[in-house]
Amino acid sequence: MSTTRPCSPGESGPEPAAAAPGTTAAASGAARAAGAPPGPSGTGRQARRLDFAEAAGVVPLARDFTRQALYAWGWMPSVTADQRAAAEDVLLVVSELVTNACLHAEGPDELWIGCDNKVLRIEVTDRGAGQPAPRTPHRAGRPGGHGMFIVQRLCLDWGVVRTPGVPGKTVWAELGAPA
């Protein structure tokens, strides 16, 4: 389901303290340590932010950044097949959202990921004016155009947030935590 709601039902969005603007991959651990609540094993939310300013190879960079977060939050190493599938789904969704920003929006500006006991939220911010949507009708044998179809199939919900008067958008997606 595509939506333009800024948050999923019952969600208040990223916690400002855990997602302070300008936080980079290197600084995110410090921000977490300085007061962000515990992740999947506790009841709070953990968050990390990666700034893509002047970065090369952003898709592998985003996947590596996300993989490190999944290890830190206990999603990896996976003990069960369900846990392994959940972690792989997160990495695939990150890849698709960042790739879409590269192909359709002059590249991503930022990746934000946050996790609590039940949901992992991914946000990719870019300067693009386009509106992401799954290609319809979806044709599995046709090359290209599968990214948002994959996101739609794997995620609990996803959407697009635009700030009036500010160029670009944030595409967000939420996945369920592994059992």
Side-chain angles (χ1 to χ4, degrees):
M1 170 169 87
S2 172
T3 178
T4 55
R5 288 182 286 111
C7 304
S8 60
E11 172 71 30
S12 60
E15 293 181 8
T23 303
T24 63
S28 64
R32 248 185 337 101
S41 60
T43 58
R45 178 184 275 293
Q46 288 194 11
R48 292 187 177 198
R49 182 181 304 271
L50 174 63
D51 184 348
F52 290 109
E54 301 184 36
V58 295
V59 175
L61 178 65
R63 285 180 64 88
D64 290 344
F65 173 81
T66 302
R67 189 176 290 108
Q68 290 172 4
L70 294 176
Y71 271 103
W73 297 340
W75 285 51
M76 296 175 84
S78 305
V79 177
T80 67
D82 286 344
Q83 290 173 335
R84 186 170 31 263
E88 290 172 1
D89 288 351
V90 169
L91 294 171
L92 179 55
V93 170
V94 165
S95 295
E96 293 298 339
L97 295 180
V98 173
T99 297
N100 277 354
C102 291
L103 294 174
H104 306 293
E106 304 172 24
D109 290 334
E110 175 177 281
L111 167 65
W112 182 92
I113 54 176
C115 180
D116 62 19
N117 283 346
K118 297 179 182 178
V119 175
L120 184 132
R121 183 174 173 108
I122 301 162
E123 298 182 5
V124 176
T125 304
D126 63 50
R127 292 176 296 269
Q131 181 71 18
R135 181 183 282 176
T136 53
H138 182 257
R139 294 186 183 129
R142 189 162 121 188
H146 304 289
M148 293 311 295
F149 178 77
I150 291 168
V151 170
Q152 180 176 308
R153 293 292 299 259
L154 293 178
C155 294
L156 300 170
D157 200 5
W158 71 276
V160 178
V161 178
R162 294 185 190 277
T163 303
V166 177
K169 64 188 172 298
T170 299
V171 181
W172 62 268
E174 294 181 337
L175 295 96

